[in-house]
Amino acid sequence: MTFFSDLGSIDDDDIEEEDGLERIVTFSEENNNIRLHMRFESKQQLSRAVRMWSINHNKEFRVIESKSNTWFAKCKSSIERTPSTSSYPPCDWCVRAVKKKTHGMWQITKWVNDHNCLGDMIRNNNTRLTASVISRYILRSIEDDPGLKIKNILSFVKENLKVDVSYKKAWYARRKAIELVFGSWEANFAELPQYLNALVQSNPGTVVEWSHHSDSLDRVMTFKYVFWAFGPAIETFHMCKPIICVDGTHLRGEYKGKLLVAVTQDANNKILPIAYAIVDEETIFS
C-alpha cells in the first residue's frame, strides 16, 4: 500500500537533525502545539496530543502502525475513500514518530501540518473525542459538583471543543471523571476498614461491628454488614428522649445495598444521629 512509503527507514532514527539544539522542542500540555522533531515523554502522551490537535482542527485520523518504537497515523478520509471522493486527491496529512535510542523519548520524524481533504466533516462530531478524553476536561467541575448535569457537559464540550457528542458519551465521561476524582467503587469499598479505623482513632469510645460472609477466609474477608456508633453519640444517648427512629436510603452504583441510620431527639428537640449501618436489605434482622 502507498502509505508504507511514508514510514521511512528505521536507520533514520539515529540521524541527528540539522541545527542541533535549536530543533529540540519538548511537548507542552498547556498549548498543545505540534511540530516536526518535537519530543514526547511517552507514546501515550504523543497519541493524546495528536488526538487533541485533530479535535481542535475538526479532523479525524486513523492509526496505521503502533509498535514499541514506531507510531504512524494518516488522515481518515484518505484511507476510507468512497466513489464520490475518489476523483479527488487523497489527503496528505500524516504523522510519524519513533522512539529514539539516544534519549529514550518519542520524536516526530514526519509531520504534515495541514489537511488538504474536502472541507470539514459533514457532521459536527469526532470519534476521537472519547469519553475518557472528555472526562479529563471536566475534572474540576466534578470536584466542585459530583452531580454535574449531563446537559451542562454537552454544553461545555460544544462551547470549548466545538464538537457535538451524544448523551451516552457524556454520561460515561462523567462516570469516568468521578472515578478519577473519588476513586472506583472497588477502591472505595476496599478503603472502608481503613476509614472506620480512622473514626475509632479520632473519636474515642466509638463502636464498630463487622459481619462477614461465611465463605470468608482468614486473610481475605468478604464484606457483608458493618455497624458503627460514635463515642460522643453513645455518651449523649442516655440524656435523650426514649424514642429511636430508623430510616435508610439505597446505595447507588455497582454495589447495591442500604445505608441505615438511627436517630433520636435531645432535650432541645434537636436530631441526634446515634448509629449507622451498611446492609444488603432493610429488615428486622439488619
Side-chain angles (χ1 to χ4, degrees), residues 3 164 179 187 270 286:
F3 62 74
D164 293 319
E179 290 186 358
K270 301 298 184 181
S286 300

Side-chain angles (χ1 to χ4, degrees), residues 17-277:
E17 295 84 3
E18 298 179 359
D19 301 333
L21 295 177
E22 294 182 1
R23 288 228 172 164
I24 298 177
V25 179
T26 303
F27 174 74
S28 173
E29 298 278 356
E30 297 179 356
N31 50 39
N32 199 50
N33 290 328
I34 300 179
R35 53 171 291 186
L36 187 63
H37 306 303
M38 180 169 282
R39 296 181 180 182
F40 299 81
E41 295 180 356
S42 64
K43 182 164 66 173
Q44 290 74 18
Q45 186 187 54
L46 165 68
S47 176
R48 185 168 60 251
V50 175
R51 180 196 302 269
M52 295 313 303
W53 184 93
S54 298
I55 292 173
N56 292 335
H57 289 75
N58 200 26
K59 296 293 183 180
E60 296 193 55
F61 66 91
R62 178 70 60 82
V63 177
I64 304 301
E65 183 179 8
S66 180
K67 296 182 178 180
S68 59
N69 60 352
T70 306
W71 193 84
F72 181 68
K74 287 182 67 69
C75 177
K76 182 178 179 181
S77 65
S78 64
I79 301 172
E80 301 178 353
R81 303 185 71 192
T82 63
S84 60
T85 61
S86 59
S87 58
Y88 296 92
C91 183
D92 295 330
W93 184 91
C94 67
V95 54
R96 176 180 184 260
V98 297
K99 186 175 183 180
K100 294 286 188 175
K101 298 177 182 178
T102 53
H103 47 69
M105 298 181 71
W106 286 80
Q107 188 165 3
I108 293 181
T109 58
K110 184 176 181 61
W111 171 256
V112 177
N113 192 63
D114 297 319
H115 286 258
N116 62 317
C117 49
L118 293 176
D120 295 337
M121 293 176 294
I122 297 176
R123 292 180 299 170
N124 189 31
N125 59 14
N126 196 312
T127 57
R128 289 293 169 179
L129 185 59
T130 62
S132 297
V133 175
I134 298 174
S135 66
R136 297 186 177 277
Y137 273 90
I138 61 175
L139 284 180
R140 291 187 178 179
S141 299
I142 292 297
E143 289 178 352
D144 298 334
D145 180 17
L148 182 66
K149 295 184 179 299
I150 301 299
K151 65 178 182 180
N152 293 338
I153 298 177
L154 296 174
S155 299
F156 176 86
V157 174
K158 177 69 173 180
E159 180 179 353
N160 292 274
L161 301 178
K162 306 299 186 291
V163 178
D164 293 319
V165 296
S166 64
Y167 184 96
K168 182 178 180 180
K169 182 178 289 188
W171 186 90
Y172 276 111
R174 183 180 65 179
R175 191 174 75 170
K176 288 179 179 292
I178 291 175
E179 290 186 358
L180 289 173
V181 175
F182 302 102
S184 63
W185 292 103
E186 295 86 350
N188 277 273
F189 267 84
E191 293 178 359
L192 190 57
Q194 182 179 357
Y195 170 73
L196 291 176
N197 182 61
L199 291 183
V200 174
Q201 298 297 325
S202 58
N203 297 275
T206 297
V207 174
V208 177
E209 294 290 341
W210 291 90
S211 176
H212 299 92
H213 285 282
S214 57
D215 58 354
S216 298
L217 304 177
D218 293 338
R219 294 184 177 180
V220 181
M221 307 298 290
T222 304
F223 170 76
K224 187 177 182 181
Y225 304 144
V226 64
F227 164 92
W228 72 96
F230 290 104
I234 296 175
E235 295 179 2
T236 309
F237 176 66
H238 71 279
M239 293 182 290
C240 294
K241 296 179 180 181
I243 300 174
I244 297 178
C245 297
V246 179
D247 199 2
T249 183
H250 295 272
L251 296 179
R252 307 295 182 183
E254 183 174 350
Y255 300 103
K256 308 301 180 182
K258 307 291 188 299
L259 172 64
L260 305 182
V261 58
V263 301
T264 186
Q265 280 188 326
D266 60 16
N268 293 322
N269 294 326
K270 301 298 184 181
I271 299 297
L272 174 70
I274 55 178
Y276 304 84

